[in-house]
Amino acid sequence: MQRGTRGSGLVVDPLRVREARIEAGLSLAQLARDDVSRTFIHFVETGQSRPSQRVLALIARRTGKPISYFMAESKPDTGQSTDLAADLIRVGERVRKFAAMNRLTMVEREAMTLIAVTLRQGAELAKSVQTTSRRGSNAARVAKTAMHEA
C-alpha cells in the first residue's frame, strides 16, 4: 500500500481508531502488519496523520468496525456552539475515555477525574443559565406585549 503525505487523507476521530484497535485486542504491529508502518497507525491514533480511504478500510476490516465509526463528526464552523452544555459534556466524556485508555499515575487519574467532574458541573451551570435566560426573555416579551396592549 502506498503511503500518503502527512496531513492528507480522511479526517477521522483518532480516539476511535485507538479504541477500536484495543477492543479488537490488536497491537500497533498487528493492526499495521506489512501494509503500513506501526508509526503511521500511531500517528493516526494521535491525530498527527490522516489515513487514506484504503488505509481506513484496512483499519475497519481488521478491527471489525464500519468505516463510518471512525469518521470525525463534521460540524459547520460557526465560531461558537449553540449548546455549551452539550459541548462540555462531550469534552468531559473524552477526558474520561482518555484517562481510561492511558496508563496514568494515581495523581494523574485523580486530576483527570477532577477535570471531568468540573466539566460536568460547568455543563449543569450552562444549562441553568440557558434556562434562566430563556425564562427572562420570555418574561420580557410578555411584559413588552402587555405594555403595547395597554
Side-chain angles (χ1 to χ4, degrees):
M1 227 175 253
Q2 235 179 357
R3 295 182 187 151
T5 58
R6 185 176 291 181
S8 66
L10 302 172
V11 178
V12 297
D13 183 338
L15 185 60
R16 287 193 164 219
V17 175
R18 179 174 164 82
E19 285 173 350
R21 177 180 61 80
I22 291 170
E23 283 176 18
L26 299 172
S27 68
L28 290 168
Q30 290 169 323
L31 180 56
R33 294 188 194 162
D34 291 332
D35 299 297
V36 293
S37 71
R38 291 175 298 177
T39 302
F40 182 74
I41 298 293
H42 170 74
F43 284 164
V44 170
E45 289 183 354
T46 56
Q48 297 175 57
S49 290
R50 298 177 181 173
S52 66
Q53 178 71 35
R54 202 165 166 195
V55 171
L56 185 58
L58 175 143
I59 292 169
R61 189 172 55 254
R62 291 185 182 160
T63 60
K65 300 282 188 190
I67 288 176
S68 60
Y69 173 83
F70 301 102
M71 301 308 290
E73 289 181 25
S74 61
K75 298 177 192 171
D77 187 15
T78 59
Q80 188 173 0
S81 173
T82 57
D83 189 357
L84 177 60
D87 289 347
L88 290 171
I89 289 169
R90 271 193 295 277
V91 172
E93 183 61 21
R94 288 197 65 187
V95 167
R96 190 191 64 70
K97 285 179 181 178
F98 175 85
M101 293 183 66
N102 289 284
R103 291 184 181 186
L104 302 176
T105 66
M106 185 174 24
V107 171
E108 290 168 335
R109 267 194 317 276
E110 289 173 359
M112 287 295 190
T113 300
L114 181 59
I115 291 168
V117 167
T118 302
L119 287 164
R120 248 190 332 267
Q121 290 172 338
E124 290 303 316
L125 176 60
K127 285 180 193 174
S128 174
V129 167
Q130 285 173 328
T131 303
T132 304
S133 175
R134 279 189 214 118
R135 270 192 250 131
S137 355
N138 288 339
R141 267 188 246 124
V142 169
K144 189 175 180 179
T145 304
M147 285 177 49
H148 286 290
E149 290 175 358

